[in-house]
Amino acid sequence: MTPRPTPLRPLTRDRLRQLLTPRGWPRLVAPRRLLAVFLVLLAAVLALRPQPLARGEPTAPMLVAARDLAPGSSLQPSDLRVVHPPEPFRPDAALTAVAEANGRTLAAPVARGEPLTRARLVGAENSRLTSRDPTAVAVPVRLSDPEVASLLSPGARVDVVTASPHDGSPVLLAAGATVVTVRADRGADGPGALVVIAVPRREATRLASVTLEQPVAVTLR
């Protein structure tokens, strides 16, 4: 006869506790491993935490935006504030005083706390960098159709045209001009959008004189 298998006895609570409880060397190793993991995590947290400014470390004044600013904004003292970060963290071209930017026009959007440089302001440096032309100058033009201005953004390339006062035929005033910034406001004579564009210096005088006498339009490239 085939012997019957011995039935398995259910595990008692004490037996189960004995099987799950580490004995001897494993009982000592487990807490040490947990302690090692904790120390590694603590070291990582301390390494990633921003370090306080060392006492006596030199600082430098830097002009930053006091709030989010839109392109085309005419900067006021309330839009700006001066901070004093550690000298190595200040950009070389950063402005240092409110007077350097007060009343200037912002060429591009700036977020709150972002440093301000001359390249962000409408002027010679911004025109040169935007157009990649060392002779470029900024010329404000009033567009006859404000809807077109809403399609423009800094860096866009456009041709500036007008209609001939004699026969109404199109006249090209500037080819491949670069948009510096857009101010979607209204002029004294009615609707219009002011667009600042960078053009070579040889074209700037003619363009500026024409825009004083008649409306102009732009075509996007």
Side-chain angles (χ1 to χ4, degrees):
M1 295 179 61
T2 304
R4 295 181 180 179
T6 303
L8 295 176
R9 291 183 299 174
L11 290 176
T12 64
R13 182 179 302 178
D14 292 339
R15 179 59 177 166
L16 183 62
R17 183 183 296 111
Q18 291 176 1
L19 293 175
L20 296 179
T21 302
R23 300 179 179 180
W25 178 251
R27 181 180 297 180
L28 297 176
V29 171
R32 292 181 179 180
R33 287 180 177 175
L34 291 176
L35 179 60
V37 171
F38 172 76
L39 293 176
V40 170
L41 293 177
L42 179 61
V45 171
L46 294 176
L48 295 176
R49 187 181 62 179
Q51 299 298 318
L53 182 64
R55 183 175 299 178
E57 184 174 351
T59 61
M62 182 174 70
L63 192 66
V64 301
R67 58 186 181 86
D68 293 343
L69 300 172
S73 302
S74 181
L75 297 177
Q76 305 299 320
S78 59
D79 300 325
L80 310 165
R81 64 189 179 96
V82 178
V83 297
H84 293 79
E87 193 168 355
F89 292 96
R90 189 188 73 173
D92 293 339
L95 302 179
T96 60
V98 172
E100 295 179 87
N102 186 27
R104 299 284 298 275
T105 300
L106 197 61
V110 176
R112 179 178 179 269
E114 189 174 345
L116 286 174
T117 66
R118 288 184 176 84
R120 289 297 184 93
L121 306 177
V122 174
E125 186 168 352
N126 178 268
S127 299
R128 177 177 57 82
L129 292 175
T130 303
S131 64
R132 300 179 182 178
D133 182 353
T135 68
V137 295
V139 178
V141 297
R142 182 77 62 180
L143 299 185
S144 57
D145 186 355
E147 297 299 327
V148 175
S150 65
L151 303 176
L152 303 178
S153 60
R157 305 282 286 186
V158 297
D159 294 335
V160 185
V161 298
T162 189
S164 170
H166 304 294
D167 56 9
S169 60
V171 177
L172 180 63
L173 299 176
T178 305
V179 175
V180 173
T181 192
V182 180
R183 295 185 61 176
D185 55 8
R186 292 178 176 269
D189 298 332
L194 188 65
V195 179
V196 181
I197 61 175
V199 296
R201 187 179 300 275
R202 64 181 181 276
E203 299 177 0
T205 302
R206 177 170 177 259
L207 176 60
S209 62
V210 171
T211 57
L212 292 175
E213 300 175 355
Q214 58 195 77
V216 300
V218 296
T219 59
L220 282 72
R221 288 200 166 194

